[in-house]
Amino acid sequence: MSEHIDVFEMARQQLAIAARYLDLDDGLHQVLASPQKTLIVNFPVVLDDGSVKVFEGYRVQHNSSRGPTKGGVRFHPDVDVRETSALAMWMTWKCAVANIPYGGAKGSVKVDRKQLSRRELEKLTRRYATEINIMLGERSDIPAPDIGTDAQVMAWIMDTISMQQGHTVPGIVTGKPIALGGSEGRTEATGRGVVTVMEEAAKIRNLNLSDARVVVQGFGNVGSTAAKLAEEAGAKVVGISDALGGIYNPKGLPIQELFNRYSGRDGGIREYKDADPVSNTDLLELPCDILVPAAIAAQITKENADRIQAKIIVEGANGPCTPDADRIFDDKGVFVVPDILANSGGVVVSYFEWVQDLQNFFWEENEVNNKLTKIMRNSFASVEQTMRSHKTDMRTAALIIGVRRVADATVTRGIFP
Ligand code: NAD
């Protein structure tokens, strides 16, 4: 479904909507519509069989007006420079909505990590980190995990940069293992934030989470944590999926058990027998109250938005709904909690990790979770208030806040020289 959708164009359309509300000056609009720096690298890796393969990777910094740029690294066969630029732009707005002092960035490598051995993955990671090192720095650009990367990949990036600098630089990446200066609560942070805003959205729609049926697309870091915490909050998770397909049981799925057995293993959940198999497309259209797309972009478009039955959509993934789908949801009265608000828990705790690394002073998990919940609730409340005052939807409201903060910082700093 995603093949015909240019997600960078989609991100620019969203910016244009916010620009109209903010009556943004044309020049400023142009500044915000383009990434500040883009690096494309082609680099070789010697595979286990001795052959050499060249991989293409990117690092895009969208805007650094509010601070160092921050953004995940994605290893996925379908990435390209336009998608990476869209993801970098969304990071800028996301950090601004959460009001943390970062701009947005994103990195990616066109690779199917499942085709690589662990040794090959490590070599690819270290070479990619070396190639993009000219962009990175704990005060300039800080990567984190995204699709296809995890704490181990972050550890290799941190070690590679540390070797090149001659001393350990823990603040160069976030989402690291705890033993290397990672933060308590980082792994679950995005899913935890998703469920916090889910609770807030449910209150607005007079829905009790303990009566709610939830469907989650994606059973990776974000999807599995969101499903687990939704279950803990009393919701009935009736459908989940991974890249190979999903399962559905209207009576509810045992998420904690599925998490223990299958999390992080593509195809695993289909082995669970007490449920009906369902395709990823059909999963989105299942009867439910709350839908959490937590996999990849452009899953909900004008082709299927009409058939979505959920009353609330909480975007765990980046860019799962296209602007055409947004218009359909607006007409249908579906309440969409947009990605730049809903999945900001990850970058919020990444920010906490970075602060802890720079100070060499580490916090307890409770402290991290409480601070995260507070920021998520405050962000939700200010987006909801902006939605009401501008009589618009939650995505436009979040963009109004995010774009305004970045525009103000850009204007106040002034255009150099
Ligand atoms: P992950 O690699 O841990 O998991 C991705 C999941 O999506 C896996 O279960 C995979 O099987 C599934 N998937 C992949 N392709 C699919 C497809 N075509 N259809 C259905 N499912 C598919 O990645 P993640 O970190 O959980 O990220 C998921 C989404 O959340 C991405 O859009 C990412 O950008 C976004 N996000 C992640 C974080 C974070 O902290 N990890 C933060 C903010 C946003």
Side-chain angles (χ1 to χ4, degrees), residues 74 76 87 94 106 145-149 186 190 217-223 241-244 266 280 294-297 299 316-318 343 346:
R74 180 175 290 196
H76 193 276
L87 290 161
K94 193 181 300 182
K106 203 78 183 188
D146 192 74
I147 295 180
T149 59
R186 173 60 185 92
T190 310
Q217 184 192 46
F219 204 55
N221 174 293
V222 181
S241 71
D242 58 28
L244 302 182
D266 266 351
N280 256 307
I296 53 170
Q299 293 296 288
N318 286 308
N343 69 34

Side-chain angles (χ1 to χ4, degrees), residues 81-145:
V81 72
R82 288 185 72 80
E83 184 195 57
T84 310
S85 304
L87 290 161
M89 187 188 286
W90 287 327
M91 281 305 295
T92 303
W93 314 142
K94 193 181 300 182
C95 294
V97 171
N99 214 359
I100 54 176
Y102 285 140
K106 203 78 183 188
S108 54
V109 177
K110 217 178 205 342
V111 60
D112 181 356
R113 75 168 273 180
K114 290 191 284 295
Q115 305 294 317
L116 301 180
S117 69
R118 185 183 158 89
R119 176 85 193 108
E120 290 167 339
L121 179 66
E122 178 177 350
K123 287 204 268 186
L124 175 133
T125 302
R126 288 184 183 278
R127 180 67 191 244
Y128 169 67
T130 304
E131 296 290 344
I132 64 163
N133 191 6
I134 47 168
M135 306 270 280
L136 305 185
E138 60 181 0
R139 300 281 180 182
S140 52
D141 184 8
I142 306 130

